[in-house]
Amino acid sequence: MSNQYTVTVGLGSCGIAAGAQKVYDALQNGLQDVAADLAVGGCMGMCFAEPLVEVASADGARIIYGYVDPEKAVELVKKHVESGQAVTESVLWMKGIESADANYYNKQQRLLLKNCGVVDPNSIDSYISMGGYKAIEKALKTMTPEEVIKEVEISGLRGRGGGGFPTAIKWGLARKSPGTEKYVICNADEGDPGAFMDRSVLESDPHRVMEGMMLAAYAMGASEGYFYVRAEYPLAIKRLRIAIAEANAKGFLGKNILGTDFNFQLFIREGAGAFVCGEETALIMSIEGKRGMPRTRPPFPAVKGLWGKPSNINNVETYANVPYIVYEGGAAFAKYGTESSKGTKVFALAGKIARGGLIEVPMGITLNQVVFDIGGGLKGDGKLKAVQTGGPSGGCIPAELCDTPIDYDSLKKIGAIMGSGGLLIMDESACMVDVAKFFLTFTQDESCGKCTFCRVGTKKMLQILVRITEGKGREGDIELLQDLATKIVQGSLCGLGQSAPNPVLTTIKYFRHEYEAHIKDKICPAKKCKALISYEIDAEKCKSCSKCAKGCPVKAITGAKKEPYVIDKESCIRCGLCQSACKFDAVMVTTGNGRGE
Amino acid sequence: MSLRENENNSFPEIDEIVKKLSANKTPSMMILQAIQSTYGYVAPEMLERVTELTGLPSSTLYSIVTFYAQFRLEPIGENLIQVCHGTACHLAGAERITNAMEMETGAEAGSTSADRKFTVDKVACLGCCSMGPVITVNGETYGNVTPDLVQKIVKQKRECCEINGCKDHDSAGKEATVSE
């Protein structure tokens, strides 16, 4: 690193999907005669503007350019470096800038994500240069394990995987459990569809999570740690492997760490595509090489966990909070948030939002603030209908309740949960019965089958939801769903079953009229449910280009030159490909009367 | 294939895998994952070989590969396509993308096309929710996918198969590769 400028390309999975790798390659070729170093970065959080390129100067100023392509990136960076000035009209974010896009950044509180997109995830030196491994040094050299737990207690940190259990209590229990063989486990089996916080943190700042695990290990007296990472996250696994190897080489892992008598080793185990393994006892089973099925608690893992030994399980985000808490003190962390929910929370903002991505906000901020101030409102001219939190275990919060503050207890009060951090924004195009069906399809498929109510009950709920969306719903179906839901919650051993009915219960609670429209009037107000809609071509708008007919998998569309095309409703399977294919917005969807069934 | 025929060992890599991973505590999942990443699937006769080498009952191994969605019991096509059906992608129209994919490849979701060129899978969230709908093709991720793009990608992969005899994607189904 000798040049005055460092150019970083955000190479998280999202960035790569948006073409950031091509941008990186172009810069590698295009910057050979430019006085700038090129670096790999993690997720900068602004997924909506990917690919992202950051130009940092030696004085620490950072300027982020968004929406680049390979040519534009080379041109921007050259211009910036040669003139020594930011190319103002293309700047997405820089310190002090006021703009709609910059609000996305300015209105956040980034403690945990401070390094994300800034450090090179593949370089331990990069992490150390940002103050990395200072917390473990402080703990090992100046604090007793009890003092570490005390700081975590002062911070008020609660489990970020969704449960919200106080972290310090968990650690304290594991510390008190007798024995010298103990384990720390990092739950990186981020299975909630719609959540990508843990993936981004692992891909962008793996050492921070490792440092958090080291602190936990020191606090409870463990010398081995395991990452359990979703197999769907190959890049996170790859970067973790590099990080662990580097930490071993530098002496941050292994024997006598930092010259003390603390020994710690880290291993990675890959998940194999089972959502239930996000539950702690199922996860332990999986590491033990068995089917991932939960067991009754107690004994809790803190007493009897991995291989029967006392173990502590936290999720990625929980561990990633700990280095800050130990280094800055628990009180610094507790400054943020509300009485019962301290600190900040990372969210994956996605769905029909103008500016989606990875955000970190203080607890207590309202959903509206997140959607409108940070996310810039809805995509296009959509209107906010609902916010879904907590994935398949969570609930749908209607727009009129979006002034609810985000904290564990307020969300619980309205039937939703904090969950791990997925925030799905829905506009009027989302059918709430379809959303409930979507989540039940997922949970009934992922039920491990151990508890009857979860195994059979979720399947029955799905059957009812399917028939409602098919226009075959019966009087009393809503009550039947509610009745089943209560029993599934009571009759299930683990969080999967206990929370699986939530999406159904909250959509019934807040959007009952949509269920009724499906059941009684046989219409789908959002025009989503295939059996209740039909496609038609607007003869006025049709330009007879034949694109729809060519794309129709069942050849249900006919027409001729200079004549509007027509869809045969009998043979149409309502796949909607014609609507995607039409460039003139001529394919319309109707519900109710138009159906010929 | 029975155990007898196995004596001349049709899967030499399995011996290596078992040797390499046996030092880990409870390595059965790791071994099975490594086998899948080598062969693209786990066949019953491979399980038998693992049993011979480790003493783990093949019923136990079978219980693992049938529990976890990641394991395949049959070989996959030359190209492995995953269509994300996470919440964000669902809202963004993943169903339409799967429809288009089935139409272009001739493979129904969850199966392999008759010409064995494509395996199409629906998967739970790939974690690129801001870019939905998302698909991966042989480990490479594509965001904001449209039916048009599906057509283009499938056509390109099909031609590539015809020209190169598919040497390019020998890695299909093996550990997903993400370029750095």
Side-chain angles (χ1 to χ4, degrees):
Chain A
M1 296 285 163
S2 53
N3 285 307
Q4 205 208 328
Y5 289 98
T6 308
V7 178
T8 308
V9 182
L11 286 171
S13 287
C14 295
I16 293 171
Q21 186 65 49
K22 293 192 182 91
V23 169
Y24 183 86
D25 296 343
L27 286 171
Q28 206 161 28
N29 289 326
L31 292 188
Q32 277 163 0
D33 49 356
V34 178
D37 295 310
L38 186 60
V40 171
C43 170
M44 300 185 191
M46 301 164 127
C47 301
F48 65 92
E50 297 275 11
L52 299 163
V53 173
E54 180 198 280
V55 180
S57 43
D59 58 10
R62 298 168 55 212
I63 284 125
I64 298 178
Y65 298 103
Y67 310 103
V68 300
D69 58 33
E71 293 84 54
K72 194 176 164 196
V74 174
E75 190 196 310
L76 277 172
V77 172
K78 272 192 175 160
K79 222 166 154 184
H80 185 144
V81 173
E82 279 159 14
S83 69
Q85 301 273 322
V87 187
T88 328
E89 63 275 15
S90 302
V91 171
L92 186 67
W93 182 84
M94 62 193 271
K95 210 172 174 180
I97 193 175
E98 297 276 344
S99 75
D101 277 349
N103 271 344
Y104 177 83
Y105 232 64
N106 294 341
K107 305 237 166 179
Q108 295 185 42
Q109 185 63 56
R110 291 167 81 94
L111 305 179
L112 189 152
L113 298 180
K114 192 182 78 157
N115 285 349
C116 285
V118 179
V119 297
D120 179 348
N122 290 332
S123 157
I124 191 171
D125 291 329
S126 176
Y127 179 67
I128 292 171
S129 74
M130 293 292 291
Y133 289 117
K134 281 268 187 281
I136 188 70
E137 189 178 355
K138 179 182 171 189
L140 292 179
K141 293 188 173 159
T142 68
M143 294 166 85
T144 64
E146 286 80 7
E147 282 168 347
V148 172
I149 296 177
K150 187 77 201 160
E151 280 310 321
V152 176
E153 191 190 326
I154 292 169
S155 77
L157 179 64
R158 293 169 68 174
R160 295 293 195 243
F165 192 80
T167 306
I169 297 183
K170 230 180 192 178
W171 290 17
L173 286 172
R175 163 133 204 102
K176 280 189 205 107
S177 288
T180 49
E181 194 183 337
K182 296 180 183 178
Y183 298 98
V184 285
I185 301 167
C186 178
N187 184 347
D189 193 45
E190 185 174 53
D192 281 3
F196 52 88
M197 303 76 53
D198 295 350
R199 172 182 66 68
S200 298
V201 171
L202 286 175
E203 285 177 0
S204 310
D205 199 8
H207 287 284
R208 175 183 290 258
V209 186
M210 288 159 55
E211 190 176 357
M213 288 177 77
M214 293 166 73
L215 288 161
Y218 175 66
M220 63 179 276
S223 55
E224 259 183 49
Y226 283 83
F227 276 100
Y228 187 83
V229 192
R230 261 186 108 198
E232 288 86 342
Y233 289 172
L235 185 59
I237 293 169
K238 185 174 167 183
R239 289 190 177 158
L240 261 182
R241 286 225 167 89
I242 295 171
I244 291 174
E246 279 205 308
N248 272 312
K250 283 252 176 191
F252 286 103
L253 289 173
K255 287 213 154 78
N256 302 110
I257 294 167
L258 296 169
T260 66
D261 56 2
F262 176 60
N263 307 322
F264 189 59
Q265 283 206 299
L266 268 174
F267 304 93
I268 300 173
R269 291 294 174 105
E270 290 177 39
F275 175 65
V276 69
C277 289
E279 198 277 341
E280 56 182 16
T281 58
L283 187 153
I284 288 173
M285 290 285 216
S286 188
I287 297 183
E288 289 175 352
K290 300 172 191 152
R291 289 162 79 97
M293 290 163 97
R295 61 159 174 80
T296 42
R297 294 173 300 178
F300 287 92
V303 177
K304 204 168 173 209
L306 187 57
W307 295 302
K309 305 293 177 199
S311 307
N312 178 69
I313 304 190
N314 285 124
N315 97 318
V316 171
E317 192 185 334
T318 312
Y319 283 125
N321 271 311
V322 176
Y324 178 87
I325 290 167
V326 170
Y327 191 68
E328 302 286 343
F333 183 81
K335 262 198 340 228
Y336 302 97
T338 66
E339 193 49 47
S340 63
S341 305
K342 299 287 185 203
T344 57
K345 175 82 190 83
V346 179
F347 286 102
L349 191 56
K352 301 281 166 128
I353 185 92
R355 294 192 289 267
L358 187 72
I359 60 164
E360 182 177 356
V361 291
M363 295 270 199
I365 191 172
T366 69
L367 288 162
N368 273 330
Q369 283 173 306
V370 169
V371 173
F372 294 99
D373 296 353
I374 294 173
L378 272 77
K379 208 182 254 179
D381 45 12
K383 195 168 155 275
L384 180 65
K385 180 172 188 178
V387 176
Q388 212 279 345
T389 66
S393 321
C396 287
I397 301 164
E400 60 270 22
L401 285 180
C402 282
D403 51 0
T404 306
I406 299 177
D407 64 65
Y408 292 98
D409 311 292
S410 304
L411 289 174
K412 211 168 169 184
K413 232 180 263 165
I414 56 171
I417 59 163
M418 169 83 75
S420 58
L423 276 187
L424 245 296
I425 312 304
M426 300 181 196
D427 65 7
E428 298 287 346
S429 72
C431 166
M432 302 317 276
V433 187
D434 176 68
V435 168
K437 185 179 85 174
F438 167 80
F439 283 120
L440 257 289
T441 309
F442 180 80
T443 34
Q444 67 85 30
D445 192 40
E446 293 293 343
S447 169
C448 79
K450 185 166 182 162
C451 307
T452 315
F453 276 98
C454 178
R455 183 182 68 243
V456 186
T458 55
K459 202 156 234 135
K460 285 288 166 200
M461 281 183 93
L462 177 61
Q463 280 172 358
I464 298 168
L465 289 166
V466 167
R467 78 174 176 236
I468 293 175
T469 58
E470 284 177 346
K472 297 171 190 156
R474 302 169 198 160
E475 199 71 34
D477 270 354
I478 296 180
E479 291 69 28
L480 192 54
L481 282 172
Q482 287 172 320
D483 181 52
L484 265 170
T486 320
K487 287 170 179 152
I488 294 168
V489 171
Q490 288 167 350
S492 300
L493 197 57
C494 84
L496 194 159
Q498 287 164 5
S499 63
N502 278 349
V504 182
L505 289 175
T506 52
T507 47
I508 291 178
K509 187 171 174 190
Y510 298 118
F511 300 94
R512 196 183 177 100
H513 53 280
E514 285 195 31
Y515 281 82
E516 285 166 352
H518 283 77
I519 296 170
K520 291 182 189 149
D521 310 329
K522 313 292 175 202
I523 62 169
C524 173
K527 299 175 188 168
K528 263 275 143 69
C529 298
K530 272 186 188 177
L532 301 174
I533 57 168
S534 40
Y535 285 86
E536 270 172 63
I537 293 173
D538 185 340
E540 304 265 298
K541 287 186 180 167
C542 178
K543 303 268 188 252
S544 313
C545 71
S546 83
K547 249 201 124 187
C548 56
K550 279 186 196 136
C552 178
V554 291
K555 306 278 168 253
I557 307 178
T558 49
K561 257 186 197 168
K562 293 191 178 166
E563 260 177 56
Y565 276 62
V566 179
I567 301 175
D568 173 36
K569 286 188 189 171
E570 289 298 311
S571 46
C572 172
I573 54 168
R574 270 102 57 189
C575 67
L577 288 176
C578 51
Q579 199 184 32
S580 300
C582 184
K583 298 264 186 286
F584 310 103
D585 217 11
V587 180
M588 307 176 299
V589 192
T590 55
T591 180
N593 302 333
R595 273 239 52 72
E597 280 176 359
Chain B
M1 195 187 292
S2 78
L3 202 61
R4 296 285 153 266
E5 289 166 71
N6 235 342
E7 276 166 4
N8 51 17
N9 198 1
S10 342
F11 309 108
E13 290 91 345
I14 293 182
D15 297 40
E16 288 297 309
I17 288 168
V18 171
K19 210 164 116 191
K20 207 175 117 195
L21 295 175
S22 287
N24 293 286
K25 291 178 190 164
T26 52
S28 45
M29 281 259 289
M30 298 172 88
I31 290 171
L32 295 170
Q33 285 169 325
I35 290 173
Q36 170 143 311
S37 97
T38 307
Y39 297 99
Y41 71 113
V42 188
E45 49 271 28
M46 299 180 192
L47 298 183
E48 285 180 20
R49 183 67 194 149
V50 177
T51 298
E52 286 172 355
L53 294 167
T54 62
L56 288 162
S58 39
S59 60
T60 305
L61 298 173
Y62 192 70
S63 80
I64 295 172
V65 295
T66 50
F67 182 84
Y68 295 97
Q70 186 199 27
F71 291 108
R72 302 163 182 286
L73 302 176
E74 278 162 17
I76 52 166
E78 290 159 18
N79 295 282
L80 175 63
I81 297 170
Q82 297 175 305
V83 184
C84 178
H85 278 253
T87 324
C89 289
H90 177 75
L91 290 174
E95 200 57 51
R96 228 173 247 194
I97 299 304
T98 301
N99 282 333
M101 197 60 89
E102 290 176 335
M103 188 178 148
E104 294 300 330
T105 59
E108 260 180 58
S111 69
T112 302
S113 59
D115 59 8
R116 305 215 55 81
K117 287 204 191 303
F118 297 97
T119 297
V120 177
D121 263 350
K122 284 187 186 182
V123 293
C125 196
L126 292 165
C128 298
C129 307
S130 298
M131 324 270 320
V134 173
I135 63 169
T136 72
V137 180
N138 303 327
E140 194 183 337
T141 312
Y142 296 79
N144 300 319
V145 178
T146 59
D148 268 354
L149 183 66
V150 167
Q151 200 179 10
K152 230 179 268 168
I153 292 171
V154 171
K155 193 168 163 235
Q156 187 197 357
K157 294 291 169 196
R158 199 182 286 281
E159 278 166 7
C160 166
C161 285
E162 274 152 19
I163 297 164
N164 301 331
C166 245
K167 287 198 189 75
D168 269 9
H169 3 88
D170 278 352
S171 63
K174 296 180 183 174
E175 209 165 326
T177 47
V178 180
S179 49
E180 280 260 71

